Amino acid sequence: MFFKAFRDVARPHWYEIITTLKCSTGMSVGELSKELKMSYMGIKQHCIELHKRGYLDTWRRPGTKGRPEMEYRLTDKAAPLFPQIGDDLMLQVLSTTETLFGNNIPEKLMYGWFQEQTTMFQKKLRGKSLSEKATAFARLRDTAGYLAECHYDSTNGLRIFEYHNPLQSLFDKYPRLERMEETLFEKVLGTSVTRTVSKASGLRRTVFEITTL
């Protein structure tokens, strides 16, 4: 699946467009043009072709005035372009342990893995303030393939956004892993964290709201 998808998008700028859209909830041609510093018509032609191949879909974003603006979003067909830890082999191994040793064994194994990940991140983390730690943590998660960004604003506070989860296929089968991931964030940052997920078409965004008080 990966190589088929890679062959489809292995053209100049296509992967840049797909990666930019991955880290969003959808963007217009104008927004993509500005972000990628490319011509409007060039971006438009690339998006039209990616749409024809099934990697993008469109929707109309209501505006404050005038006609709704068309946005492009990723579809699920783009998923193989982003790495997954929980592939078929991993799922099969966990399924086999469940059959042999009991229903709760896969989650116990993953609990141990999350504990190891927590220790690893704690050793690598740098920063004195919570904001510095969150920023450094987001960089570490981004390097691990989560497409992570740290943001702060006076309205919503300190948050980490992640646009890809290499464990998603495991999370789909074992939903309690989501809480384990949330606990990992809390232990690494030393404060309470709330995890929320939003999904539109082939885009998935996870937001970790970090308590600063």
Side-chain angles (χ1 to χ4, degrees):
M1 288 296 293
F2 167 78
F3 291 107
K4 182 181 184 304
F6 183 77
R7 283 196 300 270
D8 276 348
V9 303
R11 299 193 180 189
H13 309 302
W14 281 17
Y15 193 72
E16 292 178 79
I17 291 171
I18 285 175
T19 303
T20 302
L21 287 173
K22 178 74 170 173
C23 299
S24 75
T25 56
M27 298 175 72
S28 67
V29 171
E31 289 169 337
L32 282 167
S33 175
K34 182 178 180 180
E35 178 70 21
L36 296 175
K37 297 179 175 59
M38 293 174 56
S39 72
Y40 181 93
M41 289 307 299
I43 289 289
K44 184 176 181 179
Q45 290 302 314
H46 291 317
C47 287
I48 288 173
E49 188 61 35
L50 286 167
H51 182 260
K52 287 180 182 178
R53 292 174 181 247
Y55 289 94
L56 306 183
D57 71 4
T58 60
W59 72 299
R60 296 282 179 179
R61 177 176 59 187
T64 55
K65 59 182 179 179
R67 298 174 59 186
E69 187 174 29
M70 187 174 74
E71 286 194 351
Y72 284 96
R73 303 179 299 195
L74 293 190
T75 66
D76 288 331
K77 189 176 180 180
L81 292 167
F82 300 91
Q84 293 287 332
I85 295 174
D87 56 14
D88 292 341
L89 176 61
M90 186 64 166
L91 286 169
Q92 186 60 51
V93 169
L94 292 177
S95 180
T96 300
T97 62
E98 186 174 350
T99 301
L100 292 174
F101 304 111
N103 294 339
N104 62 344
I105 295 302
E107 290 180 350
K108 285 186 176 180
L109 290 173
M110 290 306 299
Y111 176 80
W113 183 84
F114 274 108
Q115 292 289 90
E116 292 176 359
Q117 288 287 295
T118 299
T119 301
M120 180 270 291
F121 282 125
Q122 287 173 331
K123 288 180 178 178
K124 290 184 176 181
L125 200 64
R126 298 291 182 270
K128 295 181 179 179
S129 69
L130 181 57
S131 178
E132 290 174 343
K133 289 180 180 178
T135 300
F137 187 36
R139 290 197 191 102
L140 291 172
R141 294 278 289 184
D142 186 66
T143 301
Y146 290 85
L147 296 181
E149 302 172 345
C150 184
H151 294 280
Y152 174 81
D153 63 73
S154 57
T155 302
N156 298 298
L158 187 61
R159 296 179 295 172
I160 290 177
F161 294 83
E162 294 189 345
Y163 299 94
H164 178 64
N165 191 335
L167 294 170
Q168 191 57 53
S169 57
L170 295 184
F171 280 37
D172 291 340
K173 186 167 183 178
Y174 305 103
R176 291 207 297 181
L177 299 185
E178 294 179 356
R179 176 54 190 157
M180 294 183 193
E181 183 179 62
E182 191 174 73
T183 300
L184 179 150
F185 270 69
E186 291 177 337
K187 289 182 177 179
V188 170
L189 296 175
T191 187
S192 60
V193 174
T194 302
R195 180 186 190 276
T196 58
V197 178
S198 59
K199 192 174 186 297
S201 189
L203 295 172
R204 180 187 297 269
R205 183 182 73 172
T206 304
V207 180
F208 297 90
E209 297 184 25
I210 303 166
T211 301
T212 56
L213 297 178

